[in-house]
Amino acid sequence: MRLTRKRLCSFLIALYCLFSLYAAYHVFFGRRSQAPAGSPRGLRKGAVAPARERRGREQLTLESEEWNPWEGDEKNEQQYRFKTSLQVLNKSTKGKTDLSVQIWGKAAIGLYLWEHIFEGLLDPSDVTAQWREGKSIVGRTQYSFITGPAVIPGYFSVDVNNVVLILNGREKAKIFYATQWLLYAQNLVQIQKLQHLAVVLLGNEHCNNEWINPFLKRNGGFVELLFIIYDSPWINDVDVFQWPLGVATYRNFPVVEASWSMLHDERPYLCNFLGTIYENSSRQALMNILKKDGNDKLCWVSAREHWQPQETNESLKNYQDALLQSDLTLCPVGVNTECYRIYEACSYGSIPVVEDVMTAGSCGNTSLHHSAPLQLLKSMGAPFIFIKNWKELPAVLEKEKTIILQEKIERRKMLLQWYQHFKAELKMKFTNILESSFLMKNKS
């Protein structure tokens, strides 16, 4: 009996030890091999959707040759990780920036700078709001951006010493309005509420911008840096720099996100041109050449006789569809060689076919640059098709007919990647110029 009891006790002790070892194994080793509860991919997708809704726009993400726009879930996952890490970075750099700059967006080109180049958000997202603002950190600089009809000289507080003023100087009425803003800024400099001022200017299409000359610091004024659109002979990369025209934000052209279909689908049209035909212009010559060879049947062509400043929802959709469904976008010159169409075609992976000729006026080569017109785009290696005369177009289109889909996919991918790199480079260049100028002068 005693022996039986001893055996029973030994058995129970052995069983207890085995159970303890089993429990210890699961406690210390089991957790490492278990997947976390729930689907992180599902959670991430849920987290990204509200952020996109809040942006009210689409964002293009093309990082490298390995980029996969058609992997929807993986892309959402990567974007979520990127946005999360960016938020952490922004929090960790708060208070560590060396420069605070306020941007006053008083021309439509300001939205291209903020939403397309800086990839910044605006609150509220409603484009008709009277006051919209956003914040972003780039390099050592913290930016705040304000825009809208309610941003009026003397009716808002100036909270920083450094300002970038975005102005439209294309025509007389715009110049008068821009001058009022410069006089307001001049007064703030005189009473020492502002220390440094730079201007981003939508210049005149003939490059006649003499009206701003007296305001430049080199001429005794107070504007330290000028970023100017179009191929101005003033550009010296010292205090005057070239800035891109960008897309027509005044027509509500959006920031576009690349998709699987954008890259991989066969596009039903060889080319597109939707625009105004001016009498005795190269655009008229272009239309004649398209009709002569019957290529107008292979291209999406919609011509009008009179320019229309505003888009309807229908006309904007038609235009975007034309870009998306055409392999090439024809970009004839207007008053200036540089046009919104070039950048809008890039957004949709449609190769711009650019008429590479100088237009009438004072634009042209400078002592520093000899690649005008479009010297900024050329200097950054734009993968466009440049032609000197539309008589070259039939040969371009004949070659296009022989290109297989896989080659077109690679070409679209290259264009979209180049365009993202172009905007990223401009953002860093803009910031580096401000930091070099404003911070150096603060030290001196």
Side-chain angles (χ1 to χ4, degrees):
M1 186 74 176
R2 186 176 293 176
L3 186 61
T4 304
R5 194 178 290 171
K6 273 187 177 180
R7 284 179 179 173
L8 181 61
C9 289
S10 298
F11 175 78
L12 290 173
I13 290 169
L15 191 63
Y16 176 79
C17 290
L18 284 171
F19 178 79
S20 299
L21 287 169
Y22 178 80
Y25 175 83
H26 275 272
V27 168
F28 293 104
F29 300 101
R31 285 181 183 174
R32 295 182 187 179
S33 58
Q34 286 176 0
S39 167
R41 183 167 291 180
L43 288 172
R44 282 169 180 158
K45 283 172 77 177
V48 172
R52 285 196 176 177
E53 211 169 303
R54 186 166 62 89
R55 283 177 89 94
R57 64 188 184 86
E58 302 170 291
Q59 180 181 1
L60 173 64
T61 304
L62 287 166
E63 290 297 331
S64 67
E65 289 299 316
E66 299 302 319
W67 176 75
N68 269 335
W70 50 89
E71 296 291 346
D73 288 341
E74 287 183 17
K75 192 175 96 173
N76 285 345
E77 225 174 296
Q78 290 169 357
Q79 285 184 343
Y80 177 81
R81 284 199 298 268
F82 175 74
K83 287 178 180 178
T84 303
S85 62
L86 189 61
Q87 287 168 359
V88 171
L89 178 64
N90 283 349
K91 285 178 183 175
S92 67
T93 53
K94 274 187 179 177
K96 296 182 181 178
T97 52
D98 297 322
L99 188 66
S100 291
V101 174
Q102 193 168 63
I103 303 174
W104 301 346
K106 292 313 299 174
I109 56 166
L111 292 179
Y112 182 70
L113 180 148
W114 187 253
E115 294 188 310
H116 294 246
I117 293 178
F118 275 69
E119 297 179 304
L121 299 173
L122 281 175
D123 186 34
S125 59
D126 179 10
V127 296
T128 63
Q130 292 291 300
W131 179 285
R132 305 174 74 199
E133 57 185 313
K135 292 188 182 299
S136 180
I137 293 176
V138 182
R140 295 180 292 162
T141 302
Q142 179 167 326
Y143 290 99
S144 60
F145 181 91
I146 59 169
T147 190
V151 183
I152 300 171
Y155 287 87
F156 65 97
S157 60
V158 181
D159 301 322
V160 294
N161 295 321
N162 313 292
V163 163
V164 175
L165 182 55
I166 302 178
L167 299 172
N168 186 339
R170 252 190 181 174
E171 55 195 41
K172 254 185 181 177
K174 301 293 185 184
I175 290 170
F176 176 80
Y177 184 66
T179 302
Q180 302 311 303
W181 270 98
L182 284 168
L183 292 173
Y184 170 61
Q186 183 179 41
N187 180 59
L188 292 175
V189 170
Q190 288 171 348
I191 63 176
Q192 299 184 339
K193 286 201 77 174
L194 269 188
Q195 196 171 1
H196 302 295
L197 184 89
V199 168
V200 177
L201 177 67
L202 175 56
N204 175 270
E205 289 171 283
H206 294 294
C207 295
N208 298 324
N209 302 300
E210 286 72 18
W211 66 273
I212 201 172
N213 245 326
F215 294 101
L216 302 183
K217 194 148 196 172
R218 62 179 174 181
N219 297 322
F222 60 94
V223 175
E224 296 173 30
L225 301 168
L226 177 64
F227 298 85
I228 193 166
I229 292 169
Y230 301 124
D231 294 288
S232 170
W234 295 358
I235 295 163
N236 57 18
D237 286 353
V238 177
D239 64 336
V240 182
F241 304 86
Q242 188 163 9
W243 193 250
L245 177 62
V247 303
T249 55
Y250 75 97
R251 290 176 181 252
N252 298 322
F253 192 90
V255 180
V256 181
E257 180 184 359
S259 64
W260 188 94
S261 60
M262 185 187 292
L263 277 173
H264 285 78
D265 281 3
E266 280 276 12
R267 300 194 177 192
Y269 298 98
L270 275 182
C271 67
N272 75 80
F273 175 70
L274 285 72
T276 310
I277 306 299
Y278 305 106
E279 195 174 346
N280 299 322
S281 68
S282 69
R283 296 183 177 200
Q284 197 170 59
L286 165 61
M287 292 300 296
N288 292 337
I289 287 168
L290 282 172
K291 289 174 183 176
K292 180 180 177 183
D293 293 296
N295 284 316
D296 58 329
K297 303 291 189 297
L298 304 174
C299 295
W300 186 324
V301 178
S302 178
R304 61 191 178 208
E305 294 182 2
H306 302 289
W307 180 70
Q308 296 172 3
Q310 296 300 325
E311 295 276 9
T312 63
N313 289 337
E314 184 182 1
S315 65
L316 179 59
K317 184 181 183 306
N318 283 341
Y319 178 55
Q320 290 174 291
D321 286 345
L323 296 174
L324 181 60
Q325 296 181 41
S326 306
D327 289 309
L328 307 175
T329 294
L330 308 182
C331 303
V333 300
V335 181
N336 193 282
T337 309
E338 189 173 7
C339 61
Y340 298 114
R341 193 187 318 271
I342 293 171
Y343 302 90
E344 291 161 352
C346 290
S347 299
Y348 279 95
S350 182
I351 305 296
V353 181
V354 180
E355 186 179 8
D356 187 18
V357 296
M358 283 301 305
T359 49
S362 303
C363 304
N365 291 315
T366 70
S367 58
L368 197 65
H369 299 287
H370 301 279
S371 56
L374 307 175
Q375 57 194 24
L376 177 64
L377 291 166
K378 289 176 181 175
S379 69
M380 296 183 73
F384 303 164
I385 298 172
F386 293 97
I387 62 176
K388 293 294 183 183
N389 192 302
W390 287 115
K391 291 178 182 178
E392 300 171 42
L393 182 61
V396 170
L397 295 181
E398 284 304 312
K399 181 181 178 183
E400 192 67 22
K401 294 172 188 175
T402 67
I403 300 175
I404 63 173
L405 179 59
Q406 189 55 43
E407 290 177 18
K408 291 179 179 180
I409 290 170
E410 291 304 315
R411 187 177 64 178
R412 291 172 200 166
K413 190 174 177 181
M414 181 177 70
L415 176 63
L416 291 167
Q417 288 177 335
W418 173 83
Y419 188 46
Q420 184 179 4
H421 176 73
F422 171 77
K423 292 184 288 185
E425 283 285 303
L426 283 172
K427 177 169 68 173
M428 291 312 302
K429 180 180 178 182
F430 184 82
T431 299
N432 290 338
I433 291 168
L434 293 187
E435 289 177 354
S436 297
S437 179
F438 291 178
L439 290 175
M440 187 180 296
K441 283 167 184 171
N442 285 345
K443 288 177 182 176
S444 61

